[in-house]
Structure formats: structure tokens, C-alpha cells
Amino acid sequence: MKKYFLAGLVFAALLSSCNNNEWDVTSDLSVDATDPTVGLTPLAESDGMDYAPLYWSVYGSLRQQEKEGSFPNIFTMDDWEKASDYVAKYLKPYGYDMLVTDGFASMSGDDGYMTRYSHVRKDENSPEVELKDVVAMLKAKGLKLGVYDSPFWLHYTNPDAIVPGTDTIKVSSLRYHAALDKDVLHPNKNENFWWVVTSHPGAEQYFEGFFKHYADLGVKFIRMDFLSWYEDGMNYNDQIDKGYGRERYVKGMQWINKYAKKYGIYVSLVMPHLKNDAIIEKYCGNMFRIDADALEGSWYRFSENNRGTLRGGWPNSENAFDGFINWSKVSGRKKVRLDGDFIRMGSYANDDEKMSVVSLPLMAGGPVEVTDYPSESDVKFFQNTELLALQKDGFVGQPLQRDLWNTDGEIWYGQMKDGSWVIGLFNREDETENRSVSLSQIGISGTWNVRDLWKHADEGTVTDKIEAEVPAHGCKIVKLTK
């Protein structure tokens, strides 16, 4: 089966959504009859998994093709050469060592698992690029491939292919069957994907085979999307898909936890409802998305889109800033990381905005996800080694208060492994504003040396508070050392 990202449908749902202002709307403790995490440990506790990645995504290129309507969207081997050369020159020296696919192009395979990505020409009958060739080309340049795929999805041209680990179970038998699956939530809705129904025999073996397939291919990062559509068929307030129910969703998540650990795969969860304070996702994802799609980027998508509003399902927040504040309650070292989606650097109006959109994910302990081909004047914002040291440290900060409605949510802080502290003062408003935080508010005292991580300048010492006039949409990030 060839799958294409349903961008138009998603965008229509974005426009028609409605929201509420109830705080902690995701704390529905009745959604699971029993604790689904019994016997599990968070993926972040596995060796080598307590970090957030730095990477480049095909998202921007394919999103543009989608907007232009030049179907099918493609990303050819020539495109991979161009992208990998760009990453090798401008990003790899700073720690970005991975390129990741996305869902706008064809995704196909023969026996259940994806082996091909994108047609080679803008012709749906043209051949497709072999993933193994992309892996080999990137490896030769010291780079890695990450993929956009899900163990909840099936890719096959051969419906009689046998599920690995079974003797007779066919991959096609894992799909929805009306006579068997009478308890799906919206049986009259179409299947937007060939979903794996986790209550069917062979489903767990298929999940294990998924992780083994990618581990054998040399892929160690997987971005799993449309999770809300599987769980209950909902996107915002719209019924999009059949919805296979909480129990089937949780069962799949438990298998993800089990087999991602076994095969050493880093898991990025996208479009989850995060019910019951993300009780299952914070165990079964190394990171999860905390806001609506970046789309074309801009400060509006980063900070202003339905600002101060939360929802009880996907997306809980419609801008990244609110999402980082809200979900700071579950993130930390050896815990799940927060994903604010791609940074389309060319969409931001000025340097102040560009510094903020890189700084906040790093202050929150999240990934930095580059897309498009930023100009030399823009890519420099992804090359700040003093700020990127937070990612190398595994740093995870938190807001002064988890509050969407006052400036305490715009003041972030945290401690590095060497005992130093990093403080971020942000300004979401349209005018320059004062931001300050006393040392006692973050639990420290004494005399500290101050260094500005964007100016790359020492600023003397401090004994009482950090204070600055922060420009509109800007930030000041300082490091305190003894």
C-alpha cells in the first residue's frame, strides 16, 4: 500500500476546531481501568536513550510540493544527495547527524514493512527509492537515516505474506474485519491507513518484526504519526477514522515499549491524545509532540495560535510555547522529552524570533528539528555551540511556574551536570518587556558568574537576580557558574 500524508484533511480539521480554557484537561484519570504501565520502565531509562536528537527533515521540501499540488510529492536520490551535502556542511559539525523522512511521499513495501520511500519522478507509475540505498549513501557521509513510519501501519503488495514469527498468519489478516471488529468506535468511517488491529492474532509478532526490520536496516529513529486517529478516530473535534479503542491503542504502546528497547530504537510519538497525563506515552515514547503542526512556521504557529488555550485531546495546545509550558509537568532527565515540531527558520521575522525558536526547545530539553535549507545567515542560529551544549548535557529545564497566562511561564531554568545553571528569559509580547527572576526563586544563593549564551559574552557576577529588558518575541539565555 502507498500512503500519502493527508495534509488537506488535517488542515481542514485545524480550521474547524473549537477549544476550551479548562486547565489540566488531559488529567482524565478514568480513561484506563487499570494502570497500563505496570511492568514497564520508561524508554528514556534505557542505556543511551536519555537525550533529544538534533536532525534535519524532508518536511519543508515536501510540504511545499503539497501546497503547489504537484502530485506525487517526491524526494529522489538526487534530493538526498543535496540534503545530505547541506547537512554535512552546515549542521553535522554541530551535532546534527540524522536526516528523517516524512509522510508527504509514497511509502511502500511488499511483505508488511516499508522498504521504499518516494517515487523517482513525478509519475505515480515510476519506480520508488529503496530505503537501503538512502541508508548506505548517508552512512558513507557519516550520517544516519530516521524514518517516518509506525508499527500500527501495514505496507504490502503481497497480502499472503506471512507475519514474521508465525507459521501461517498473513499480514492482510491484521487489518480491520467488520465481522470480527464490531467494537470499533466509528465503523462507518474509512480507513485512512491500513491499520494493524492489535487484538488480531499475529499483531504482537508484527510489531516485533517492525522494530527488527528497521534495526536490521540500520535505522534507529522512528517518528510515529496519527496516533489519535488509531485510538479513537478523532482529529480535533472531527471523526476522521474508525478508532480502534483505548485498549487496542494501549496494547500497541506496550509492545512499542517492549520492542523498541529490545532493538535499540528511539521512538518519537506524533499526534497522541496524551490522555491521563500521558500515562502510557511517557513510558512508550522517548519524545512526544506537544503542539499542532508547524505547517508554514512563523511566530504565530510558535506562540500565538490559540494562545492560552488547552484541549482534552490532540492537539492539547496549538502553539509550541503553550505546549512546552503545559507538558513540562512530565518531562525531565530519564523521562520523556517534549517535541515542538519543525523549525522553519525562514518564516521568522527577525533575529529575536529566530533565537527564541531555537532556545525554548533546548531550554525544555527537546529536539531541534531543522527543515528546508536555511540560508547561511539563518543557519547560524542552529550553530550556537554554547547553547547546543545543553543538548549534549541532556539538560531539561522547566518554567518558573507552569502557567500559560502570566510571565512566569516565560522564565525557564535548569541545572547542568557540572552544577552550573541556565536561565532563559522570554518575551512573547509584541513590545519590549522587563523579565526578572531572583536566585532564591530557583533555589540557589551566593555569587555566580554570568555569561550570555547568544552574545557569547561574560556579564560579571550576580548575587540577587537576573533581569533584562527583553525585546518583543526575543529572549536572553544566561549561564551561571561558580
Side-chain angles (χ1 to χ4, degrees):
M1 177 189 182
K2 295 177 184 176
K3 301 193 183 74
Y4 297 89
F5 182 79
L6 306 173
L9 186 57
V10 173
F11 187 62
L14 281 165
L15 294 178
S16 64
S17 66
C18 64
N19 302 278
N20 63 63
N21 289 297
E22 183 181 351
W23 185 235
D24 276 354
V25 290
T26 54
S27 299
D28 178 4
L29 303 182
S30 64
V31 69
D32 296 300
T34 59
D35 185 348
T37 67
V38 172
L40 305 182
T41 55
L43 290 183
E45 293 185 7
S46 301
D47 290 344
M49 289 294 180
D50 185 25
Y51 71 97
L54 307 175
Y55 70 88
W56 184 92
S57 170
V58 304
Y59 178 89
S61 176
L62 295 177
R63 170 75 183 166
Q64 184 60 35
Q65 293 180 54
E66 186 81 11
K67 287 183 64 183
E68 294 169 353
S70 57
F71 189 82
N73 308 318
I74 60 172
F75 205 83
T76 67
M77 285 300 291
D78 286 344
D79 293 319
W80 283 111
E81 288 283 0
K82 174 185 174 182
S84 58
D85 286 345
Y86 177 90
V87 172
K89 179 177 180 179
Y90 292 108
L91 296 171
K92 184 173 179 282
Y94 301 90
Y96 303 79
D97 63 353
M98 181 169 64
L99 292 81
V100 182
T101 66
D102 207 88
F104 291 90
S106 65
M107 302 164 60
S108 67
D110 298 317
D111 299 325
Y113 304 116
M114 182 172 71
T115 58
R116 299 179 293 273
Y117 179 76
S118 171
H119 291 285
V120 299
R121 296 186 299 277
K122 282 196 172 292
D123 174 359
E124 199 167 359
N125 295 315
S126 65
E128 293 169 295
V129 176
E130 296 285 341
L131 284 179
K132 62 181 177 60
D133 294 338
V134 180
V135 171
M137 184 266 287
L138 295 180
K139 184 177 181 181
K141 299 181 181 184
L143 298 167
K144 300 177 291 187
L145 179 68
V147 300
Y148 173 98
D149 196 7
S150 173
F152 287 105
W153 295 344
L154 290 156
H155 310 269
Y156 62 81
T157 58
N158 176 16
D160 296 325
I162 301 300
V163 175
T166 73
D167 294 326
T168 59
I169 298 175
K170 299 177 180 180
V171 292
S172 56
S173 73
L174 300 178
R175 290 184 61 192
Y176 169 76
H177 192 292
L180 298 175
D181 304 312
K182 296 180 179 180
D183 59 345
V184 298
L185 302 179
H186 313 295
N188 295 324
K189 288 292 180 180
N190 294 328
E191 289 180 282
N192 287 293
F193 298 91
W194 285 2
W195 298 108
V196 174
V197 182
T198 58
S199 55
H200 286 197
E204 181 173 359
Q205 291 92 329
Y206 177 84
F207 267 59
E208 178 172 8
F210 174 90
F211 287 98
K212 184 178 186 300
H213 164 70
Y214 280 117
D216 290 347
L217 192 61
V219 170
K220 294 291 188 176
F221 175 94
I222 303 177
R223 189 169 172 89
M224 304 176 187
D225 204 354
F226 293 100
L227 297 173
S228 66
W229 292 15
Y230 186 87
E231 182 175 358
D232 63 8
M234 300 299 291
N235 189 77
Y236 284 76
N237 297 308
D238 300 309
Q239 293 179 2
I240 301 295
D241 212 303
K242 293 184 182 299
Y244 294 91
R246 178 71 177 179
E247 289 186 13
R248 290 190 181 97
Y249 173 75
V250 165
K251 182 179 290 186
M253 282 288 147
Q254 291 167 336
W255 294 339
I256 288 170
N257 177 277
K258 179 178 180 179
Y259 295 115
K261 286 179 181 176
K262 180 174 180 178
Y263 293 98
I265 303 290
Y266 190 104
V267 174
S268 169
L269 303 178
V270 182
M271 285 182 62
H273 282 311
L274 304 176
K275 295 179 179 178
N276 196 355
D277 280 338
I279 187 171
I280 192 67
E281 292 88 358
K282 65 188 179 185
Y283 276 75
C284 303
N286 296 90
M287 67 185 194
F288 61 63
R289 271 279 298 284
I290 44 81
D291 63 315
D293 291 359
L295 300 180
E296 275 54 71
S298 79
W299 187 260
Y300 174 78
R301 302 296 303 179
F302 179 72
S303 178
E304 297 307 304
N305 187 18
N306 279 313
R307 179 175 166 181
T309 299
L310 290 178
R311 305 181 66 260
W314 169 260
N316 306 133
S317 301
E318 294 189 53
N319 68 77
F321 215 121
D322 282 358
F324 281 120
I325 295 170
N326 179 33
W327 286 106
S328 63
K329 61 184 176 180
V330 301
S331 189
R333 294 185 189 268
K334 297 290 185 180
K335 295 182 180 180
V336 71
R337 301 303 180 107
L338 308 181
D339 173 8
D341 208 16
F342 307 114
I343 300 175
R344 306 199 70 176
M345 191 60 77
S347 72
Y348 291 93
N350 54 48
D351 288 359
D352 292 319
E353 291 186 355
K354 293 170 185 179
M355 286 187 283
S356 290
V357 299
V358 172
S359 298
L360 183 59
L362 289 169
M363 286 297 303
V368 178
E369 300 155 302
V370 185
T371 192
D372 305 305
Y373 298 92
S375 65
E376 289 195 12
S377 61
D378 277 348
V379 76
K380 67 183 181 184
F381 294 97
F382 295 115
Q383 299 171 334
N384 184 339
T385 55
E386 292 195 73
L387 202 59
L388 290 172
L390 275 65
Q391 186 268 347
K392 291 182 179 180
D393 179 81
F395 177 93
V396 184
Q398 60 184 308
L400 193 60
Q401 287 190 25
R402 192 177 139 260
D403 194 324
L404 306 184
W405 304 285
N406 70 44
T407 57
D408 284 347
E410 300 174 33
I411 298 171
W412 285 69
Y413 70 98
Q415 189 173 27
M416 298 185 74
K417 291 176 181 176
D418 64 4
S420 60
W421 289 82
V422 182
I423 297 173
L425 307 178
F426 293 87
N427 177 12
R428 302 175 72 178
E429 308 309 323
D430 295 334
E431 304 291 339
T432 297
E433 292 201 356
N434 179 272
R435 295 285 182 268
S436 67
V437 58
S438 65
L439 300 189
S440 61
Q441 284 179 286
I442 63 173
I444 62 175
S445 60
T447 301
W448 296 81
N449 300 307
V450 181
R451 182 170 178 81
D452 189 300
L453 299 187
W454 278 109
K455 294 179 180 178
H456 308 295
D458 295 327
E459 297 187 335
T461 60
V462 64
T463 59
D464 54 353
K465 65 180 178 180
I466 298 293
E467 184 173 20
E469 296 298 313
V470 183
H473 303 177
C475 66
K476 183 178 181 67
I477 312 297
V478 300
K479 184 176 183 180
L480 307 184
T481 59
K482 283 293 190 180

